[in-house]
DNA sequence: TACACGTGGAC
DNA sequence: TGTCCAAGTGT
């Protein structure tokens, strides 16, 4: 690990802590889930925002957070909600296991903790959807506990400050140890947020603004002129392509046939336009869900997931009779006015758009 | 440990 | 246009 807590180091760490907190007090951003200076944040707001912010930008989360706290002002309200409504409100945010775990977590907090989040990092870690980062973040930010959350921002700030050149993910233990060393006894929540704000502003991935940074005086990456190369990362693997065909059935009254995906796996529990399995090579023709006048739609849907890129051809059947039966139990007809709030992931909204349907959001 | 898991924005 | 990345977790 290479970072020893010598008396000399402790002095520089104390200086770092003060400089960072002073910077935070001068540059604190106001965010919907963040408490006013000197006040304690609402644990429900902290938890909800931390789940939404996992691998997701602040700009994207904003409107979703506001909608959620309006629909469900407290954890008890969320626990009592139908899962499908929660998935519908989450649609478009991605990583849909987060929404299912969010709902499960709310139920556990109500059932096992009387509707109050546990304050202890270890107890938080036992809740669905809460991992090491989020447990430490909630403990520090909502409850002022001495905890050191390490997210992507803090990995960058800490690896630069301590000159950790070993590539991720192997360097994670060293970075965690260094983050603990850096965390002050007082204001651990403000300190964690200040490091994240630093990582999101001055200590950016490219072109960091080191001269303006409160950590630059003791920053090894800056001193060595290698800040913008840290943290080093292992090369990534290429993203394969996959191909499929979607069948967009539209009834005379405008209702659209949608299918519920299996609980687990990709887009688990979300709705989809019925489609063929996604194959490694383009298929000539798939099998429609039922017999009708299927017409090919010109163009195709392209969508990039984390680990593959998907191309979907779309066939459309218009003007189907009201009495058209659903092909199986996972399918349902969804009226036009309900499409906007349905639990439709973005890739399926692209399919509807290509088919001439505009799934408006509320 | 390594991979599965979404999406949109920046460059 | 392609690549990288964003307040990670579950398995």
């Amino acid at each position: 690990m290479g970072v020893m807590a010598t008396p000399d180091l402790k002095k520089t760490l104390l200086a770092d802590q003060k400089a960072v907190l002073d910077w935070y007090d001068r540059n604190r951003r106001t965010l919907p889930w963040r408490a006013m200076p000197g006040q304690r944040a609402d644990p429900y707001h902290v938890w909800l925002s931390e789940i939404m912010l996992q691998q997701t930008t602040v700009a994207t989360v904003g409107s979703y957070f506001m909608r959620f706290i309006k629909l469900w002002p407290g954890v008890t309200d969320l626990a009592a909600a139908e899962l499908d409504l929660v998935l519908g409100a989450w649609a478009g945010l991605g990583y849909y296991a987060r929404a299912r775990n969010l709902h499960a977590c709310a139920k556990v907090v109500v059932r096992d903790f009387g509707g109050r989040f546990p304050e202890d990092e270890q107890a938080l870690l036992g809740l669905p959807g809460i991992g090491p980062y989020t447990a430490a973040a909630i403990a520090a930010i909502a409850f002022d506990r001495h905890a050191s959350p390490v997210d992507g921002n803090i990995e960058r700030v800490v690896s630069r400050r301590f000159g950790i050149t070993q590539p991720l993910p192997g360097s994670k233990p060293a970075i965690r140890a260094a983050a603990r060393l850096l965390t002050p006894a007082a204001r651990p929540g403000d300190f964690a947020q200040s490091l994240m704000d630093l990582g999101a502003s001055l200590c950016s991935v490219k072109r960091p603004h080191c001269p303006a940074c409160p950590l630059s005086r003791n920053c090894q990456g800056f001193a060595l002129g290698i800040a913008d190369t840290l943290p080093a990362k292992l090369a990534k693997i290429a993203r394969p392509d996959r191909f499929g065909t979607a069948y967009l059935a539209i009834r005379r009254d405008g209702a659209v046939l949608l299918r519920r995906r299996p609980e687990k796996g990709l887009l688990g529990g979300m709705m989809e336009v019925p489609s063929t399995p996604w194959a490694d090579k383009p298929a000539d023709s798939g099998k429609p869900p039922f017999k009708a006048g299927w017409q090919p739609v010109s163009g195709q849907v392209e969508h990039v997931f984390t680990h593959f890129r998907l191309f979907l051809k779309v066939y459309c059947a218009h003007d189907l009779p009201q009495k058209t039966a659903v092909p199986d139990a996972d399918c349902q007809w969804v009226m036009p006015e309900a499409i906007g709030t349905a639990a439709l992931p973005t890739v399926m909204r692209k399919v509807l758009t290509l088919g001439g349907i505009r799934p408006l959001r509320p």
Side-chain angles (χ1 to χ4, degrees):
Chain A
M1 312 283 166
V3 180
M4 302 282 287
T6 63
D8 211 34
L9 175 60
K10 284 183 180 174
K11 201 179 296 178
T12 65
L13 291 176
L14 284 172
D16 283 344
Q17 292 161 0
K18 183 178 187 320
V20 166
L21 284 169
D22 286 349
W23 177 85
Y24 184 65
D25 290 336
R26 280 182 277 112
N27 298 280
R28 179 198 292 258
R29 283 192 296 173
T30 55
L31 297 169
W33 46 85
R34 191 172 271 184
M36 291 293 107
Q39 300 208 335
R40 190 65 79 78
D42 181 337
Y44 173 65
H45 290 183
V46 173
W47 165 70
L48 180 60
S49 67
E50 290 298 343
I51 302 298
M52 288 183 165
L53 286 163
Q54 288 167 8
Q55 300 289 284
T56 309
T57 59
V58 168
T60 300
V61 164
S63 62
Y64 282 89
F65 177 84
M66 297 309 290
R67 200 175 319 137
F68 264 71
I69 60 172
K70 188 169 184 183
L71 284 168
W72 305 292
V75 67
T76 309
D77 307 306
L78 183 59
E82 294 255 2
L83 174 60
D84 193 47
L85 287 181
V86 178
L87 291 176
W90 195 278
L93 252 191
Y95 285 139
Y96 298 100
R98 290 186 296 170
R100 299 196 298 279
N101 285 328
L102 184 84
H103 191 241
C105 182
K107 284 177 173 295
V108 172
V109 168
V110 167
R111 190 193 65 199
D112 296 349
F113 297 94
R116 304 174 72 87
F117 280 87
E119 301 191 10
D120 180 69
E121 190 176 345
Q122 286 307 313
L124 287 162
L125 195 52
L127 295 171
I130 296 184
Y133 162 75
T134 305
I138 296 173
I141 297 169
F143 301 118
D144 210 29
R145 294 295 183 99
H146 191 267
S148 304
V150 177
D151 72 328
N153 286 310
I154 296 179
E155 277 181 348
R156 184 166 56 255
V157 173
V158 167
S159 64
R160 288 172 177 176
R161 162 62 182 81
F162 292 93
I164 298 170
T165 53
Q166 181 191 6
L168 287 168
S171 56
K172 279 176 180 286
I175 292 174
R176 275 197 297 273
R180 272 194 295 274
L181 209 55
L182 190 57
T183 302
R187 303 179 65 190
D190 284 348
F191 189 77
Q193 291 180 91
S194 68
L195 289 189
M196 289 190 272
D197 282 6
L198 265 183
S201 56
L202 298 179
C203 196
S204 49
V205 177
K206 296 170 183 171
R207 313 269 219 105
H209 302 91
C210 299
C213 179
L215 285 171
S216 63
R217 190 172 34 161
N218 298 315
C219 180
Q220 293 298 301
F222 180 47
L224 297 170
I226 58 170
D228 63 344
T229 72
L230 299 179
K233 296 190 178 180
L234 260 24
K236 297 191 174 164
I237 53 168
R239 219 192 313 258
D241 290 340
R242 288 191 194 167
F243 305 87
T245 303
Y247 299 94
L248 181 55
I250 306 170
R251 237 168 36 181
R252 270 202 267 278
D253 60 357
V256 168
L257 187 69
L258 297 181
R259 183 168 67 187
R260 177 82 61 189
R261 291 179 62 87
E263 282 275 325
K264 303 211 170 192
L266 184 71
L267 308 175
M270 301 292 284
M271 305 299 290
E272 68 177 354
V273 176
S275 50
T276 62
W278 301 341
D280 295 335
K281 297 187 186 312
D284 317 319
S285 62
K287 190 161 108 47
F290 56 87
K291 220 177 133 183
W294 296 100
Q295 297 293 324
V297 177
S298 67
Q300 63 181 338
V301 165
E302 177 182 344
H303 190 75
V304 179
F305 292 95
T306 310
H307 49 298
F308 65 93
R309 183 171 59 162
L310 178 66
F311 295 93
L312 281 178
K313 290 190 291 188
V314 179
Y315 281 78
C316 208
H318 288 280
D319 206 31
L320 295 165
Q322 299 282 116
K323 60 178 171 45
T324 306
V326 296
D328 66 72
D330 296 331
C331 290
Q332 60 189 88
W333 291 101
V334 176
M335 295 303 288
E337 62 271 19
I339 292 173
T341 55
L344 276 169
T346 297
V347 60
M348 291 302 154
R349 289 174 189 265
K350 288 182 181 176
V351 170
L352 294 183
T353 299
L354 188 65
I357 295 170
R358 301 236 54 124
L360 300 176
R361 279 213 77 86

